[in-house]
Amino acid sequence: MMASAKMTSARMTSVSTPRGAAAVGLVILAVAVIAFPLLFSSPVVTNYAVYALIFVAVASAWNLFSGFSGYISLGQAVFFGSGAYAVGIAAKDWHITGTGVFALLPLAAAVGAVIAVPFGLVALRVRRHTFIVITIAVFFIFQLMAFNLNSFTGGTIGMSAPFLPWSPTTFNDRFYYITLACAVATVVIAVLTRRSRSGLQLRAIRDDEDRARGLGVRAMRVKLTAFVLSAAITGLVGGVWFLYLTQVLPQSGFDPLFDLSLVLMAFLGGLGTISGPVIGALIIEPGQLYLTIRYTNGYLSEILLGALFLLIVLFMPRGIVPTAGEWIRRLQSRGRPAVPAAAAPAQQASDAPAREARR
Amino acid sequence: MARQIYQAIVDGILVGGVYALMAVGLTLIFGVLDIINIAQGVLVILGAYLSYELSVRIHLDLFLGLLVTVTAMFVIGVVIQWAFIRRLRGRERTSMTLLVTYAVALIIEGVLYEIYGPNPKQLNASYVQSSVHVLGFYLSYIYLYGFVLALALVVAIYALLYRTRFGRSVRATMQDETAARLIGIDVNRVAAVTFGVGVAVTAAGGMMFGATNAFNPNSGYDLISRLLAIIILGGLGSIGGALVASVFMLTLESLVTIWSPEWAIVVFYAALVVVLVIRPAGFFGRQPVRAQ
């Protein structure tokens, strides 16, 4: 007990300085991110940034449900594509033009959420690996519907977005800030969810669903809420993506590679962490975009994506953030001989499960 | 109209036999290794391309060529299991293997695109185009031969599982891996061979698929999602379930095609969703004692 009390006070003092440094770092990061389009005005560069931010948002939204609960979804494109189509169809049918289309984004979020309720009620009843397969099946249903419901979705021709009266020089910059707002908002929602009671319940479900249920967690309700929240965000970002690209096709709105990319981003960064999917998206999406632009047939990027995925899953299954965190902790403990020798193993032993739970 | 419906049922059963063959491999792999092999779809397409090479380059008969392609696919399966799947351990193993096999599928698909491009190919032989008129039904030879082949292979797998010593160790591993290990079964060998066998049947499935459909490297997605629907409907790990579900699903699809070809495939997945709402473990699946 004595040792642990001493330890806590020691940690309190040691934490305050990194926290101050983190705050300064955050401010610098915020300034850099906001000033980015001013420094790099080339639309080629901002195009990369817009796509990266779109994927930061959707990967974080994916992680909000799948990363926290351990139910890997390969059907997130259902919401992304539906959000895009919702904006396109509503703008066409209600004759909305110009910047008024942005008023349709809440509709895109609502469509995502409304689809997620029956989807979740069916898919979340089954075991975890069956869940993955059902998400794939639902995904294909939606892609086929987008192809087949000609009068509604435009079939193979897809939908076009209304023209935005923005000059080509500022078009990308404006979308940079829109997608930045989406990305930041999603990360904030993810942080709040993680800290909330239901965030804890989600992670309890991930660790042992039956035990969580036994302790009084209403598993279905918690899972469904997170699933719907994740779907609403993804639907909204899908709407933004559609307005940026000005076009959606069945195979681009409902793209199997989209789902796999999200999973890869979260795994690369660290499943269930906040910064993991952000870092993963910032690394993978620009790389993928570069390969697609460079080699127009796209097969090479597919091979590389698969190979990268294999490497990560086999050699760094926990992702960059947890692995790096472990290295930093190891370095710190090595450079701190002041910790009493007897306390060190005790600290490790008592810390490990707590850290595990926080992840 | 009645004639059309009977014809659709006959077609559904014949095509269902071919799907059963591919689905049995998939469900066998799941039953023994607890792995959902997403690459199964693209491996079928790889098998079709192998048959294509043999028939175009050295003019080998499609069915004779199977001797080569089945062996090749067996080796490919063992290599995939040995290189990637064997290493995965721990709590999230099933989910991880799903992602790993998805990645393998992407790589194979990309390589096939690099070699063959996106233009569809089809396998050809004298018996692919012609058909026979039996009891008022038009039965195409390729479907008849394919059905017989599928039946023979499924019986062979059944015999392997229930009539041999190796089959007994496979079934023991399916029941309880730890206990199987304790009584001296080489579980790693069982896993490798089972994965090999599960993948080897895709060579036969691929030949049949390639002879009856135009295919390109992308066809694997459509195929794997159908196969997954079938094995989940039948109950994961249940070989009999896979057989029943294949015939059921393909008959259903072929019946709906009479009215609306575009919607037939949606019915396929909708049926899966409906069945899972009623029975989350599928037709013949064991109800989980403890949800994972």
Side-chain angles (χ1 to χ4, degrees), chain B residues 1 5 12 23 27 41 51 55 95 109 114 131 190 206 223 252 263 280-281:
Chain B
M1 194 67 211
I5 290 173
T27 209
S51 287
S55 76
S95 304
E109 188 199 342
E114 287 291 341
S131 61
V190 167
L223 212 49
L252 187 67
W263 287 104

Side-chain angles (χ1 to χ4, degrees), chain B residues 27-43:
Chain B
T27 209
L28 184 70
I29 290 173
F30 178 83
V32 176
L33 295 150
D34 229 11
I35 285 170
I36 294 173
N37 179 22
I38 295 282
Q40 192 87 347
V42 79
L43 286 169

Side-chain angles (χ1 to χ4, degrees), chain B residues 244-262:
Chain B
V244 174
S246 313
V247 173
F248 172 78
M249 286 293 226
L250 270 300
T251 309
L252 187 67
E253 188 184 343
S254 124
L255 280 175
V256 178
T257 309
I258 298 176
W259 289 282
S260 160
E262 300 92 64

Side-chain angles (χ1 to χ4, degrees), chain A residues 98-112:
Chain A
T99 50
V101 287
F102 284 99
L104 294 172
L105 289 179
L107 176 77
V111 166

Side-chain angles (χ1 to χ4, degrees), chain B residues 75-144:
Chain B
V75 173
I76 289 173
V78 171
V79 168
I80 291 175
Q81 200 277 337
W82 182 82
F84 306 121
I85 292 163
R86 192 176 48 112
R87 294 161 197 271
L88 296 170
R89 296 263 184 277
R91 206 159 44 97
E92 299 293 333
R93 187 169 164 277
T94 304
S95 304
M96 296 293 259
T97 52
L98 218 146
L99 298 172
V100 164
T101 52
Y102 205 146
V104 170
L106 272 184
I107 295 174
I108 296 175
E109 188 199 342
V111 170
L112 286 177
Y113 262 125
E114 287 291 341
I115 300 173
Y116 297 101
N119 291 334
K121 302 245 187 306
Q122 189 156 8
L123 299 176
N124 220 332
S126 58
Y127 40 80
V128 167
Q129 305 293 344
S130 53
S131 61
V132 61
H133 199 78
V134 181
L135 297 170
F137 296 116
Y138 284 100
L139 303 176
S140 119
Y141 278 113
I142 183 76
Y143 277 114
L144 278 178

Side-chain angles (χ1 to χ4, degrees), chain B:
Chain B
M1 194 67 211
R3 178 95 303 193
Q4 257 182 314
I5 290 173
Y6 291 140
Q7 177 78 46
I9 292 173
V10 171
D11 286 350
I13 291 170
L14 288 180
V15 184
V18 176
Y19 274 81
L21 184 58
M22 300 184 256
V24 163
L26 196 56
T27 209
L28 184 70
I29 290 173
F30 178 83
V32 176
L33 295 150
D34 229 11
I35 285 170
I36 294 173
N37 179 22
I38 295 282
Q40 192 87 347
V42 79
L43 286 169
V44 169
I45 301 302
L46 179 63
Y49 275 110
L50 287 180
S51 287
Y52 177 81
E53 283 294 321
L54 288 178
S55 76
V56 171
R57 291 273 160 89
I58 56 173
H59 306 289
L60 198 60
D61 178 76
L62 291 179
F63 284 89
L64 273 180
L66 284 182
L67 293 175
V68 180
T69 58
V70 168
T71 319
M73 294 306 284
F74 177 81
V75 173
I76 289 173
V78 171
V79 168
I80 291 175
Q81 200 277 337
W82 182 82
F84 306 121
I85 292 163
R86 192 176 48 112
R87 294 161 197 271
L88 296 170
R89 296 263 184 277
R91 206 159 44 97
E92 299 293 333
R93 187 169 164 277
T94 304
S95 304
M96 296 293 259
T97 52
L98 218 146
L99 298 172
V100 164
T101 52
Y102 205 146
V104 170
L106 272 184
I107 295 174
I108 296 175
E109 188 199 342
V111 170
L112 286 177
Y113 262 125
E114 287 291 341
I115 300 173
Y116 297 101
N119 291 334
K121 302 245 187 306
Q122 189 156 8
L123 299 176
N124 220 332
S126 58
Y127 40 80
V128 167
Q129 305 293 344
S130 53
S131 61
V132 61
H133 199 78
V134 181
L135 297 170
F137 296 116
Y138 284 100
L139 303 176
S140 119
Y141 278 113
I142 183 76
Y143 277 114
L144 278 178
Y145 294 166
F147 188 74
V148 172
L149 173 74
L151 221 56
L153 283 174
V154 170
V155 168
I157 289 179
Y158 190 86
L160 177 72
L161 282 180
Y162 287 89
R163 293 284 178 273
T164 65
R165 197 181 155 76
F166 174 74
R168 206 174 303 144
S169 48
V170 170
R171 282 182 294 137
T173 314
M174 273 169 121
Q175 278 175 6
D176 190 332
E177 197 193 311
T178 320
R181 209 185 283 271
L182 280 174
I183 58 168
I185 291 171
D186 185 350
V187 174
N188 288 331
R189 202 180 121 246
V190 167
V193 174
T194 310
F195 201 88
V197 170
V199 170
V201 296
T202 61
M207 188 278 285
M208 279 302 299
F209 185 82
T212 50
N213 298 274
F215 58 94
N216 75 358
N218 199 24
S219 312
Y221 285 117
D222 182 38
L223 212 49
I224 186 61
S225 47
R226 283 161 186 247
L227 292 178
L228 289 172
I230 287 170
I231 65 163
I232 289 187
L233 194 68
L236 284 168
S238 158
I239 290 172
L243 296 178
V244 174
S246 313
V247 173
F248 172 78
M249 286 293 226
L250 270 300
T251 309
L252 187 67
E253 188 184 343
S254 124
L255 280 175
V256 178
T257 309
I258 298 176
W259 289 282
S260 160
E262 300 92 64
W263 287 104
I265 180 72
V266 175
V267 170
F268 203 96
Y269 300 117
L272 171 70
V273 172
V274 170
V275 170
L276 283 174
V277 169
I278 303 163
R279 267 187 76 85
F283 285 160
F284 296 96
R286 275 171 292 173
Q287 298 289 339
V289 182
R290 193 185 148 99
Q292 288 177 3

